[in-house]
Amino acid sequence: LHKKACKKRLAEFRDEKLFIQPEISCYGECPICCLPLSLDFNKWRIKPCCCKLICLGCDHANQTREREQGLEHKCPFCREIPPKSWEEAEKNAMKRVKANDPDAMTQMGKRRRDEGDYEGAVEYFTKAAELGAAEAHFNLSCLYHQGEGVEIDMKKSVYHLEEAAIAGHPSARYNLGCYEEDDGRVDRAFKHWIIAAKQGYDDVLDLVKGGFIDGIVKKEDYAAALRGHQAAVDATKSKQREEANAFLDRYRITPPKSHRN
């Protein structure tokens, strides 16, 4: 009985931790303007010199200043000249990996995965996850789900999804909701989706709306999801970012996608 009670309490504690609304997504803030980064990967860039996520507003403002003053282009964060080749970028990333930078480890894991080296990807993602990188946990979940570089293990897949979700990963929330829905736990599924919607996740907000229409989601919960979603989206906006987006739209420049989910 004591073991059963302990197991039940541990499950309850895990749920308490799992369903806390994160204050910000796992992508955090731009280190320059200190505003939350958008969930739209096309609105920020990973700088190959320092592996920092920089919003397009700050990146565009830096490049505009450099053009106007005739300056050599440098990273707006670390002030280093960006690598001019793939080999140089790889070398920079490895320096950051050796310095135990979880973001650099995650990026190296993605490179190995995209090259088909799944075992190498698992190694990098595992190290980054041990340092608390939500994106690494999310990618490990995908690899365990698909059996790439590891044996298929749904228990580990869900575990890494939960760790990513706790750390503020919106796509992990979405996937957890899908798992719960498939297992018939619809109430838990919508709990995850409401949290993701409040983080500014557009597609998940549509799921919550559907749940409200179908009578699964309460009116007050749907209203809270709408308010939270709008607040999260508004928090990522600034005049500088709007100017950058307008510039990109004008010249039809599409920033490269930073990573694959």
Side-chain angles (χ1 to χ4, degrees):
L1 290 175
H2 178 67
K3 288 183 178 180
K4 288 184 178 179
C6 287
K7 188 175 181 179
K8 181 180 179 182
R9 180 54 191 144
L10 285 173
E12 291 173 348
F13 177 75
R14 180 70 169 175
D15 268 6
E16 289 172 6
K17 187 177 181 181
L18 182 60
F19 288 110
I20 292 175
Q21 180 72 44
E23 293 183 3
I24 193 171
S25 84
C26 62
Y27 305 114
E29 300 172 341
C30 172
I32 298 175
C33 65
C34 297
L35 291 177
L37 291 169
S38 171
L39 300 190
D40 183 349
F41 303 150
N42 285 326
K43 292 186 177 180
W44 43 264
R45 288 174 174 162
I46 299 174
K47 307 307 286 186
C49 40
C50 54
C51 295
K52 292 295 183 182
L53 310 185
I54 307 296
C55 77
L56 287 186
C58 290
D59 195 50
H60 174 67
N62 179 60
Q63 292 188 48
T64 299
R65 177 185 62 83
E66 290 171 337
R67 285 196 299 271
E68 291 175 348
Q69 298 179 15
L71 301 175
E72 184 177 21
H73 176 54
K74 294 182 179 180
C75 171
F77 180 77
C78 69
R79 309 311 301 169
E80 294 292 332
I81 298 173
K84 294 180 172 60
S85 67
W86 179 259
E87 290 76 15
E88 189 179 348
E90 185 93 353
K91 187 177 179 180
N92 283 354
M94 287 306 300
K95 287 182 180 179
R96 298 305 309 154
V97 167
K98 290 178 180 178
N100 285 329
D101 184 333
D103 293 329
M105 291 178 186
T106 301
Q107 293 309 310
M108 287 302 295
K110 291 175 183 175
R111 291 182 189 180
R112 296 295 176 264
R113 177 202 62 198
D114 293 343
E115 292 167 355
D117 178 9
Y118 295 112
E119 291 183 0
V122 170
E123 182 179 350
Y124 280 113
F125 287 144
T126 299
K127 290 179 180 178
E130 289 171 353
L131 294 171
E135 187 71 13
H137 276 295
F138 178 75
N139 280 277
L140 277 174
S141 172
C142 296
L143 294 178
Y144 275 110
H145 177 80
Q146 297 162 0
E148 295 176 329
V150 289
E151 294 292 329
I152 292 176
D153 190 325
M154 296 310 296
K155 186 175 181 180
K156 287 185 178 180
S157 178
V158 171
Y159 166 77
H160 285 294
L161 272 185
E162 289 181 348
E163 289 298 303
I166 290 169
H169 200 293
S171 294
R173 284 284 174 193
Y174 169 75
N175 285 2
L176 280 174
C178 293
Y179 275 124
E180 296 288 6
E181 184 183 42
D182 289 344
D183 286 340
R185 295 187 289 267
V186 178
D187 288 345
R188 289 176 64 88
F190 277 101
K191 279 186 180 182
H192 285 301
W193 292 336
I194 287 171
I195 289 174
K198 289 180 179 179
Q199 290 182 284
Y201 201 147
D202 294 338
D203 293 341
V204 176
L205 183 62
D206 291 336
L207 286 175
V208 176
K209 179 181 179 181
F212 170 65
I213 293 172
D214 293 339
I216 301 171
V217 176
K218 295 179 181 178
K219 181 179 180 180
E220 55 268 30
D221 291 334
Y222 177 49
L226 284 172
R227 290 194 299 270
H229 178 272
Q230 190 61 54
V233 172
D234 289 345
T236 68
K237 295 179 179 180
S238 72
K239 182 179 179 181
Q240 188 168 266
R241 292 181 181 185
E242 290 174 0
E243 291 173 352
N245 289 329
F247 175 83
L248 294 174
D249 289 341
R250 188 181 313 126
Y251 293 97
R252 297 183 180 180
I253 299 173
T254 301
K257 290 188 177 180
S258 303
H259 63 272
R260 181 194 77 181
N261 269 341

